[in-house]
Amino acid sequence: MNKINELFAVRNSRKLFSLYFCAGCPTLESTADVITTLCRCGVDMIEVGIPFSDPLADGPVIQSAATTALRNGMTLKKLFSQLDGIKREVDIPLVLMGYLNVIMHYGYEEFFRSCRQCGVSGAIIPDLPFDDYLADVKPVADKYDIRVIMMITPETSEERIRLIDSMTDGFVYMVSSAGTTGVQTEFDDEKEAYFKRISDMRLHNPRMIGFGISNRQTLECARAHADGTIIGSKFVSLLNDEGDAGKALDRLVEDLRG
């Protein structure tokens, strides 16, 4: 069974906790240590960013991390080499998040084959058109048992959400707002209404909420309406400050407790 599906199957009612960081930041060789540290510390799933020069969905914190990673020399080929070196130490799902240009250049077949060989369970491609996913990406991803996770926003129509839910597996990534990634201090009534609306749709796939979660209020609000949360910008900032994944996680947990 794919590790993403297995994770949701055994979680019972527990809310899952996933973190994002950018491969190759703060240093080129830190990627493996960040992953193994978070795995030992009990994080449920890790989203590993593939650095790109024009990350349209990302705010300034993650853009800066991507710039640092590229300057450090991080490439997709290098990332797969690092992941291959730790695959026997990692028993939780790894999800790669990268933009279409990078993955197309690498080649769909080689990308998903490498994901399978290196212990990666899923991929998020924010700028992948859904029609292209169905025609070109899904057949290859399915061949290697890799889950392609699709994002929805408050502007996504119910018809499109139900189509995404019927044609994907793993989980649905609920973006908290139509903007880019970044820390938010609270989720207002409008965002909470969006969370509730999607929850009331009773989708087939589990739901994870990301973008903006940074404190107790945003965490609890998201957890009330989804199966788990994904924290990116806040953790990336703390990781840059500390240079150590364990210390950054400790500070994050303290902030989330309020």
Side-chain angles (χ1 to χ4, degrees), residues 193-211:
Y194 155 60
F195 298 159
K196 186 177 186 303
R197 174 170 61 86
I198 305 304
S199 178
D200 290 344
M201 288 177 66
R202 305 294 182 186
L203 300 180
H204 165 74
N205 280 298
R207 291 154 289 107
M208 298 283 283
I209 294 178
F211 285 47

Side-chain angles (χ1 to χ4, degrees), residues 83-115:
L83 295 177
D84 189 59
I86 59 170
K87 62 184 178 182
R88 291 177 179 81
E89 302 175 53
V90 180
D91 59 359
I92 64 174
L94 298 181
V95 178
L96 297 189
M97 180 174 178
Y99 289 86
L100 186 58
N101 184 281
V102 178
I103 295 171
M104 286 183 65
H105 181 74
Y106 198 81
Y108 291 145
E109 186 83 25
E110 186 62 24
F111 176 77
F112 288 110
R113 181 191 297 116
S114 297
C115 284

